[in-house]
Amino acid sequence: MQKISNYSKLRSISHATVHCTKVVRNVNLEKLRHNYLFPEIEARELEHVKKYPDANIIRLGIGDTTQPIPDIITSNMAEYARALSTRKGYKGYGAEQGNKALRKAIAESFYKDLGVKDAEVFVSDGSQCDISRLQLLLGSSVSVAVQDPNFPAYMDSSVIIGQAGDFLDETLKYKNIEYMTCGPQNNFFPDLSTTSRTDIIFFCSPNNPTGHAASREQLTQLVEFAKKNGSIIVYDSAYSVYITDESPKSIYEIPGARECAIEISSFSKIAGFTGVRLGWTVVPDELYYSNKVPVIQDFDRIVTTCFNGASSIAQAGGLACLSPDGFNAVMSVVDYYKENAKILVETFTSLGLVVYGGVNAPYVWVHFPGSRSSWDMFSEILKKTHIITVPGSGFGPAGEGYIRVTAFGQRENILEAAERLRSVYL
């Protein structure tokens, strides 16, 4: 059963005890079924700490990076910050779309030979923020499809903007949203022959939470499906640098994608910028609405209206990340997390469990047999091992029976977690 947040408790306070305005609450917020997943996990962790104050908690739940940002990156940011205290080095507002040099570096570093132009890259304060800006761009009248399981921001933002109907307790789904089941039974790729046509398709690869990287064949099917139906794909490639096989790292590797896809990405999991905040969105100039208006024109208006641009200090760090030495430095940290993922995969496999992910992504997707719910498994693991995970059902109904474990952690904690799990479950 979900814990009731402090905000939810406020609703039970009698109106006689508070002064109320005459402003009606956004009806779409009323539709949200639960608290946002990760604050809910934090709340349960706090309850556990109160009960076991001496426990050494290992946090393998929320996908927050743990390794220090390489010095070549932070020194560049520090130098830029120090220059702001000089007349020569001070700069105020920058372009809302981002530093021109950084936009060019992103295009050259991640989209070389894919036809992405500097002007199609919009630098932001992170891909999760861009999801909401894209929702503002798309509006409430569009129909939406999401992978199931999926990163909660796609679903919650769709509900908040008004694209979803009421939540149905019998199906654990929102009305008016097309849920594309992605599980081991279909190689984590939706059966497009039975998928209804929607205006927008949210698709993440490598996927959060399953860790699956879509193959070239799968993405070709997706692009062909979108073009046939006149849909727009919102493609989240935030974990592309973790791909180790031949899976595409960008949707634009697929012919025709520039005519039907927007791509969002982030420095968070590439360079440990989860707190620094820096990301980008690519909107090709070949992408048009049904009335022949270029989508990039409207997104530029959204950005210049709702955003004053990413921090200039963060952007200086982004440029440093994409220098030859800087990129080598951040990729060494990525390799560190990949090794963590390998340890976790080996651990859960040794327990006789079916494990997915952990090869092309920093997430391990573990299936627990039996009738216990994902939240029950989350609670059991926390109680017996003092390890925080994420219940799979928090990512959608198709996540029931799974937990997600993150490889973002200190190596000693990963090894300690492996030892605790083996001592309890082996």
Side-chain angles (χ1 to χ4, degrees), residues 96-98 102-103 106 121-124 278-280 307 310 315:
E96 293 94 340
Q97 301 88 343
L102 179 56
R103 297 170 80 185
I106 290 170
V121 178
F122 292 79
V123 178
S124 71
L278 193 66
W280 70 89
F307 186 49
Q315 291 189 75

Side-chain angles (χ1 to χ4, degrees), residues 64-292:
D64 192 5
T65 51
T66 57
Q67 291 303 102
I69 299 171
D71 181 70
I72 189 174
I73 313 299
T74 55
S75 61
N76 203 65
M77 289 192 286
E79 182 180 349
Y80 186 95
R82 284 194 296 269
L84 291 174
S85 64
T86 68
R87 180 170 295 180
K88 182 179 179 181
Y90 176 76
K91 295 179 182 178
Y93 288 125
E96 293 94 340
Q97 301 88 343
N99 179 307
K100 286 185 178 180
L102 179 56
R103 297 170 80 185
K104 181 179 180 180
I106 290 170
E108 292 179 349
S109 298
F110 298 104
Y111 305 102
K112 187 177 182 179
D113 302 324
L114 297 181
V116 173
K117 308 175 186 70
D118 306 358
E120 297 172 331
V121 178
F122 292 79
V123 178
S124 71
D125 50 349
S127 57
Q128 185 161 347
C129 299
D130 276 343
I131 291 169
S132 292
R133 292 187 190 104
L134 286 170
Q135 292 284 27
L136 189 60
L137 169 80
L138 298 167
S140 60
S141 63
V142 297
S143 54
V144 170
V146 297
Q147 291 163 289
D148 182 18
N150 67 85
F151 179 53
Y154 313 139
M155 180 62 68
D156 283 14
S157 63
S158 294
V159 175
I160 292 169
I161 203 70
Q163 297 159 353
D166 292 330
F167 186 84
L168 302 177
D169 288 317
E170 59 270 26
T171 62
L172 301 179
K173 296 179 180 180
Y174 287 96
K175 294 175 64 177
N176 303 336
I177 299 290
E178 179 73 10
Y179 287 73
M180 304 183 297
T181 301
C182 297
Q185 72 278 13
N186 57 10
N187 197 21
F188 295 97
F189 188 78
D191 181 355
L192 297 178
S193 67
T194 62
T195 299
S196 299
R197 186 263 170 200
T198 60
D199 296 313
I200 308 301
I201 303 168
F202 282 100
F203 198 90
C204 179
S205 180
N207 181 264
N208 177 11
T210 68
H212 174 75
S215 68
R216 191 170 302 276
E217 179 183 0
Q218 289 175 332
L219 291 182
T220 298
Q221 292 177 36
L222 182 65
V223 168
E224 291 175 349
F225 178 78
K227 291 190 69 176
K228 176 183 176 181
N229 289 306
S231 305
I232 294 176
I233 302 165
V234 177
Y235 188 83
D236 188 342
S237 64
Y239 302 96
S240 63
V241 295
Y242 289 84
I243 292 177
T244 58
D245 59 18
E246 297 303 313
S247 301
K249 295 183 177 181
S250 168
I251 191 65
Y252 302 122
E253 293 184 38
I254 308 302
R258 286 181 54 82
E259 299 172 2
C260 66
I262 294 169
E263 182 164 307
I264 58 176
S265 198
S266 170
F267 283 90
S268 289
K269 309 304 165 60
I270 297 172
F273 274 27
T274 50
V276 175
R277 307 308 305 151
L278 193 66
W280 70 89
T281 290
V282 177
V283 185
D285 59 16
E286 297 167 34
L287 182 65
Y288 289 85
Y289 293 113
S290 59
N291 64 355
K292 298 184 180 180

Side-chain angles (χ1 to χ4, degrees), residues 158 206 304 350 370:
S158 294
T304 54
S350 72

